Amino acid sequence: MKKEREKDQNVDEMVKEMRVIKTRKDELRQSSKGLDTIYKDAKVVKNELGKLLREEFGSRTRIADLKDRFKAEKKINNKYSGDETKIRDISRFSIIARSIMQLIKDLEKVLTLDKCTVVNIKNKFITPNALGYRDINLNISYELPDGRTHLCELQLHLQGIIDVKEATHVHYEAIRLAI
């Protein structure tokens, strides 16, 4: 038992030492205006960055469908006062790690990817949500072929947390909506 706690302390220390990048939220904006253009850019990013992530991280990469347009419009109106340039999660990706060490290495590798500039890192291992969910959430500014950029979201997950999330997702969503 003592050995397990020593191991946990090492994990706690590693989590606290993970790199954090903070950009003021009002500075995190799409370079394009207009939701139609943002969606076109998101499609390009889904294909190009998705391919790059699959090359680097293989089957541990998850490429989500583009965010539902209705949900995006609702978020833009409710959270961003109608400013579509503030939405950052139309194109979304995940990388699933088997251990905290692998997750840390994945984070360091993401920081070096071509055409990618990590502009924000939220370490939810330090500040999990009310239900205990934790991951690393990155906003990446991806360089498009014409030189403009598109903001997207990349989440770094631990397999064990994903397993629990999937097994309890129905209950998680009900509780999340209630709080």
Side-chain angles (χ1 to χ4, degrees):
M1 191 66 124
K2 184 179 178 184
K3 198 171 198 172
E4 283 181 31
R5 185 61 207 143
E6 287 174 15
K7 190 176 179 181
D8 288 347
Q9 286 173 332
N10 289 337
V11 168
D12 291 344
E13 289 171 20
M14 285 188 281
V15 164
K16 288 177 185 170
E17 291 176 10
M18 278 187 216
R19 190 183 311 219
V20 174
I21 296 173
K22 287 286 179 195
T23 300
R24 288 176 26 149
K25 287 188 179 191
D26 61 331
E27 295 175 6
L28 291 173
R29 294 179 176 270
Q30 298 293 351
S31 65
S32 298
K33 292 190 176 173
L35 201 50
D36 289 339
T37 303
I38 292 170
Y39 264 89
K40 286 178 188 171
D41 294 346
K43 187 176 180 182
V44 171
V45 171
K46 178 182 176 187
N47 293 332
E48 290 187 9
L49 181 55
K51 181 180 177 191
L52 179 61
L53 292 173
R54 284 235 192 264
E55 288 170 0
E56 291 292 331
F57 301 100
S59 63
R60 297 186 300 117
T61 302
R62 303 291 182 272
I63 303 169
D65 290 335
L66 297 182
K67 187 179 203 85
D68 176 77
R69 179 85 180 222
F70 176 79
K71 289 180 181 179
E73 289 172 351
K74 185 176 178 183
K75 185 174 189 175
I76 288 164
N77 289 325
N78 294 343
K79 188 172 181 178
Y80 302 126
S81 303
D83 185 350
E84 73 272 357
T85 65
K86 291 184 179 181
I87 195 158
R88 304 182 298 270
D89 64 347
I90 290 177
S91 47
R92 302 162 293 168
F93 307 89
S94 295
I95 298 169
I96 301 172
R98 291 179 288 282
S99 68
I100 195 73
M101 284 300 295
Q102 187 177 45
L103 187 137
I104 292 168
K105 288 177 184 175
D106 291 347
L107 173 59
E108 293 303 318
K109 188 182 274 189
V110 167
L111 292 168
T112 66
L113 292 176
D114 279 348
K115 298 186 177 185
C116 295
T117 302
V118 176
V119 293
N120 203 48
I121 300 176
K122 186 173 186 180
N123 184 345
K124 292 192 269 182
F125 283 93
I126 294 174
T127 55
N129 72 14
L131 299 173
Y133 182 78
R134 49 195 78 205
D135 64 9
I136 302 294
N137 193 304
L138 310 166
N139 290 123
I140 295 174
S141 177
Y142 183 82
E143 185 181 335
L144 296 163
D146 65 4
R148 293 177 302 113
T149 59
H150 178 82
L151 292 176
C152 62
E153 181 179 274
L154 172 62
Q155 296 178 351
L156 304 178
H157 302 281
L158 284 176
Q159 183 65 59
I161 292 173
I162 292 296
D163 292 344
V164 170
K165 180 181 174 186
E166 289 173 355
T168 62
H169 188 69
V170 171
H171 306 293
Y172 172 83
E173 284 300 317
I175 294 167
R176 188 178 70 83
L177 291 173
I179 54 175

